[in-house]
């Protein structure tokens, strides 16, 4: 296997650190997500870590271009070569929509363009990719970067080094299909206090409170 990582953000940088795989990015290389034909050859696996992760940004255009249109081009590119596509999705696709939703609201499980476009690209990969690994996950910097942490939000989120290691193990095992990737369910506060003293706080109303995922498939895959 010879993998190329796209993106050097939080997750991409950690995967690069743990594997020393080649990578390109918009910042380092000026990679244009509108022109996937400029990707270098010589690889059999593309690991897509490029995304607009500004979760509650109202910039619809940026989310569409980065989280969906780019993935559309990337799926076509990988099918044509052919290459395996490892795509990073998010646990936010499991969040709940508000009641009484209307036609002008974001029609998705979570009321923001980030979750909507990530959900669409998640489905696109499953529908059209000929060879893929799709990882639904959430990760944060280590140590925890804030002075307070939410006590009323639970998920399988973990520090970026832990989540990256799980994804790398799936890639090296040549796993295919959709996987929930994470560790045991915990509150943000419980995770934060593992790396620094933090105060307790409550999440804003618009932030989903329970993003817990079933990890049985992941555990079985990695323990076989």
């Amino acid at each position: 296997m010879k993998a190329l990582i796209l993106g050097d953000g939080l997750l991409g940088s950690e995967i690069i650190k743990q594997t020393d795989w080649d990578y390109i990015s918009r910042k380092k290389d000026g990679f244009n997500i509108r022109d996937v034909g400029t990707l270098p050859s010589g690889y059999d696996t593309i690991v897509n870590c490029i995304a607009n992760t500004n979760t509650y940004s109202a910039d619809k255009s940026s989310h569409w271009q980065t989280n969906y249109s780019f993935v559309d081009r990337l799926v076509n590119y990988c099918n044509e070569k052919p290459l395996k596509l490892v795509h990073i999705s998010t646990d936010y696709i499991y969040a709940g929509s508000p009641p009484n939703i209307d036609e002008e609201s974001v029609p998705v499980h979570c009321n923001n363009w980030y979750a909507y476009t990530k959900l669409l690209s998640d489905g696109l990969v499953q529908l059209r990719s000929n060879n893929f690994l799709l990882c639904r996950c959430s990760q944060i910097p280590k140590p925890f970067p804030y002075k307070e942490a939410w006590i009323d939000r639970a998920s399988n989120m973990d520090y970026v080094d832990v989540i990256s290691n799980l994804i790398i193990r799936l890639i090296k095992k040549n796993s295919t299909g959709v996987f929930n990737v994470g560790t045991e369910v915990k509150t943000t506060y419980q995770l934060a206090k593992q790396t620094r003293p933090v105060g307790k706080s409550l999440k804003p109303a618009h932030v989903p409170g329970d993003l817990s995922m079933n990890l049985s498939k992941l555990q079985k895959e990695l323990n076989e």
Side-chain angles (χ1 to χ4, degrees):
M1 185 199 70
K2 188 170 177 58
L4 175 68
I5 301 169
L6 308 186
D8 56 358
L10 178 65
L11 184 67
S13 293
E14 183 62 31
I15 295 177
I16 294 164
K17 177 182 176 182
Q18 292 190 27
T19 63
D20 201 31
W21 291 340
D22 293 343
Y23 77 100
I24 66 170
S25 75
R26 291 176 288 182
K27 180 173 62 177
K28 177 177 73 73
D29 305 290
F31 173 59
N32 183 358
I33 61 173
R34 297 174 185 265
D35 187 8
V36 296
T38 61
L39 287 172
S41 58
Y43 301 91
D44 53 42
T45 303
I46 299 293
V47 184
N48 180 33
C49 297
I50 291 178
N52 181 341
T53 58
N54 190 357
T55 310
Y56 296 101
S57 165
D59 187 349
K60 175 183 175 182
S61 177
S62 177
H63 283 294
W64 269 104
Q65 288 300 321
T66 308
N67 296 342
Y68 183 76
S69 296
F70 168 56
V71 178
D72 181 35
R73 299 184 192 101
L74 193 58
V75 168
N76 291 335
Y77 176 85
C78 290
N79 283 346
E80 289 169 3
K81 289 301 177 180
L83 305 171
K84 181 175 183 177
L85 174 60
V86 179
H87 180 66
I88 308 301
S89 186
T90 174
D91 60 0
Y92 259 72
I93 69 167
Y94 293 119
S97 295
N100 199 34
I101 193 167
D102 63 28
E103 292 85 352
E104 297 303 315
S105 300
V106 183
V108 72
H109 300 287
C110 190
N111 192 24
N112 57 73
W113 291 113
Y114 167 71
Y116 182 41
T117 52
K118 291 294 286 184
L119 176 64
L120 290 177
S121 62
D122 183 300
L124 178 66
V125 170
Q126 294 181 68
L127 180 66
R128 291 180 40 209
S129 176
N130 294 333
N131 185 10
F132 71 90
L133 167 64
L134 192 149
C135 300
R136 294 170 175 164
C137 57
S138 183
Q139 58 282 327
I140 62 171
K142 186 177 184 179
F144 189 76
Y146 308 110
K147 294 181 179 180
E148 294 185 340
W150 299 326
I151 60 173
D152 56 344
R153 184 181 188 275
S155 73
N156 303 94
M157 174 177 62
D158 213 314
Y159 290 106
V160 65
D161 60 328
V162 176
I163 298 299
S164 295
N165 180 259
L166 292 171
I167 294 172
I168 292 165
R169 289 171 64 189
L170 288 172
I171 295 172
K172 288 185 174 181
K173 193 166 183 179
N174 199 28
S175 301
T176 59
V178 182
F179 285 87
N180 292 335
V181 177
T183 54
E184 74 284 350
V185 177
K186 66 194 78 64
T187 65
T188 308
Y189 174 76
Q190 289 171 326
L191 179 60
K193 69 179 184 178
Q194 293 177 14
T195 57
R196 60 171 295 183
V198 292
K200 298 178 179 179
S201 62
L202 298 177
K203 67 175 184 63
H206 63 270
V207 174
D210 188 343
L211 286 174
S212 57
M213 304 183 295
N214 187 310
L215 301 179
S216 298
K217 182 179 179 181
L218 173 72
Q219 293 162 352
K220 181 180 179 181
E221 181 79 0
L222 294 182
N223 290 330
E224 286 184 345

